[in-house]
Amino acid sequence: MSDNSYDVIVVGLGGMGSAAAYHLARRGIRVLGLEKFTPAHDKGSSHGGSRIIRQSYFEDPAYVPLLLRAYELWEELAGNTGLEVYRLTGGLFMGAADSLTVAGSLRASQEWSLPHEMLTAGDVRRRFPTLTPADGNVALFEAKAGFARPEMTVQAHLDLAAREGAELRFGEEVQSWQDGPTGVRVTTANGTYTAGQLVICPGAWAPALLTDLGIPITIERQVLYWFQPDGGTAPFVDHPIFISEDPAGMQIYGFPAIDGPDGGVKVAFFRKGQVCTPETIDRTVHQQEISEMQERATQLLPALTGPAVHTATCMYSNTPDEHFVITRPQGFTNVTVACGFSGHGFKFVPVVGEVLADLAVTGDTSHPIGLFDPRRLVTA
């Protein structure tokens, strides 16, 4: 075996790729991981300090079995590293009773017998006085919701993968890849590598790296905001995550104050972005955007009147139906792809890593991933 030959090459070491590298390496697979940027970088989608985790999944109840396994793996990752990669804070999913956020969460909770409470707007205001939902709105409260720390999670998976023997190379951009009858060939500026299998986790670089697969992916710029509350962050430290939907269907979401007294409270719009590419994304957050976010946020959290102490941009990689793509593409013998996580994928990182290891090693998985077959996106 040459020095440039491996069992599996993983392209992209963000959330999904780092987890795949770890789950492969822990099985004794000889893994090469290739990443364009530095470890746990802030150029893609796996950054921003926090990501919501939840089980009452309004997007589709079909996700719940994967979430139940993901939660087991979140706990395992925390135990293996001694790091607080996730925290359960409880979560409120608010809006009109027939809104997607509420009705969808309730449907998933009922279908999978997930513990939950239904609260009126008055209930929410009494139990969580930082929040002022509109009269007539309701909320589903899920005690097992919370947040994960994306940079910490990516670094933890990378460290564990390296500990298990994976070779991880950073600052090495993939220029091309080819699949053949006996394996794959991956070319970077530094050289060419071969392997039996290839796992591609391209994030926002999917349109460039997956041109031959015909998977429709649109990249969108998204903005994250941290506002300093009037009176300080203390009331927001022991606080649930939340998602709130307005009558127009626009969702905002937010987190506890986890960055200290001067770190503010993180809030953002969900799916309010502009189409971009990784090369053209505007990394500047403009005052008009900050003002618009603060105006909407203070309708629900009146204390968020202080300055924006921090802002950041990230990218969503959206499929047309906003469900994931996880597949062994037709016509490719030795390739597994995970992409199009559409802004709600990070909570699945540990289980997607397990799924990708299954697919690369055996060609199949016991996990239910039928929803993520890209053939659903092909129009006649």
Side-chain angles (χ1 to χ4, degrees):
M1 179 180 292
S2 79
D3 289 342
N4 284 348
S5 182
Y6 301 84
D7 297 327
V8 180
I9 297 173
V10 178
V11 173
L13 295 174
M16 306 306 175
S18 62
Y22 165 56
H23 281 279
L24 285 161
R26 74 186 298 193
R27 301 182 190 190
I29 305 299
R30 188 165 186 244
V31 178
L32 171 66
L34 297 171
E35 168 57 52
K36 178 178 180 179
F37 298 107
T38 55
H41 62 82
D42 64 356
K43 303 296 190 294
S45 305
S46 298
H47 63 280
S50 55
R51 289 289 186 275
I52 286 175
I53 59 174
R54 53 192 166 90
Q55 295 181 352
S56 55
Y57 219 60
F58 58 74
E59 287 83 351
D60 195 309
Y63 285 86
V64 174
L66 287 172
L67 287 163
L68 298 176
R69 177 57 178 158
Y71 267 57
E72 293 175 350
L73 291 170
W74 280 114
E75 183 176 2
E76 180 182 289
L77 182 63
N80 286 343
T81 61
L83 298 172
E84 190 192 49
V85 289
Y86 79 105
R87 184 192 301 174
L88 300 185
T89 62
L92 287 163
F93 310 113
M94 296 175 281
D98 61 353
S99 64
L100 172 64
T101 303
V102 176
S105 298
L106 181 59
R107 176 187 170 203
S109 296
Q110 291 175 333
E111 185 168 323
W112 291 99
S113 300
L114 303 175
H116 64 281
E117 298 176 68
M118 294 304 302
L119 306 177
T120 67
D123 294 332
V124 173
R125 290 193 291 262
R126 283 187 292 272
R127 286 177 57 174
F128 308 101
T130 57
L131 296 161
T132 57
D135 290 338
N137 278 1
V138 296
L140 183 144
F141 178 76
E142 178 192 334
K144 287 191 174 181
F147 65 88
R149 299 179 184 270
E151 294 93 338
M152 185 185 293
T153 298
V154 171
Q155 191 63 60
H157 276 133
L158 293 174
D159 290 344
L160 290 174
R163 188 184 307 169
E164 295 288 349
E167 182 179 337
L168 307 176
R169 299 190 177 203
F170 299 94
E172 189 161 349
E173 181 178 2
V174 170
Q175 298 175 335
S176 65
W177 59 270
Q178 296 83 36
D179 182 28
T182 60
V184 298
R185 181 181 299 270
V186 177
T187 301
T188 74
N190 292 9
T192 298
Y193 309 96
T194 60
Q197 295 287 323
L198 175 64
V199 175
I200 308 177
C201 302
W205 287 263
L209 278 175
L210 304 179
T211 53
D212 294 335
L213 302 189
I215 300 172
I217 302 284
T218 301
I219 310 306
E220 285 190 356
R221 169 186 179 269
Q222 304 291 331
V223 184
L224 313 173
Y225 307 82
W226 287 256
F227 291 105
Q228 190 67 11
D230 181 27
T233 57
F236 292 87
V237 171
D238 184 14
H239 196 276
I241 61 92
F242 65 86
I243 302 174
S244 178
E245 182 176 336
D246 69 16
M250 177 60 68
Q251 295 164 308
I252 67 168
Y253 64 94
F255 297 84
I258 64 173
D259 299 313
D262 300 319
V265 173
K266 179 184 171 185
V267 292
F269 287 108
F270 188 46
R271 303 196 190 288
K272 185 175 175 25
Q274 298 84 42
V275 174
C276 67
T277 70
E279 293 73 34
T280 63
I281 181 173
D282 182 1
R283 296 287 185 181
T284 300
V285 179
H286 303 279
Q287 184 57 50
Q288 180 181 348
E289 296 176 301
I290 295 171
S291 298
E292 184 181 7
M293 181 75 254
Q294 191 163 40
E295 180 181 359
R296 176 65 181 88
T298 52
Q299 294 172 19
L300 181 64
L301 302 102
L304 295 192
T305 55
V309 297
H310 181 54
T311 59
T313 59
C314 72
M315 290 179 284
Y316 286 1
S317 303
N318 296 323
T319 63
D321 62 5
E322 297 171 355
H323 294 307
F324 310 158
V325 170
I326 302 175
T327 187
R328 300 269 294 175
Q330 287 186 310
F332 293 83
T333 307
N334 307 299
V335 178
T336 301
V337 170
C339 63
F341 288 95
S342 302
H344 63 110
F346 198 87
K347 62 187 70 64
F348 296 88
V349 156
V351 70
V352 169
E354 188 170 68
V355 167
L356 295 176
D358 290 344
L359 294 174
V361 172
T362 71
D364 199 5
T365 182
S366 61
H367 290 297
I369 61 169
L371 179 62
F372 312 136
D373 189 327
R375 288 175 292 185
R376 75 186 190 275
L377 302 172
V378 177
T379 57

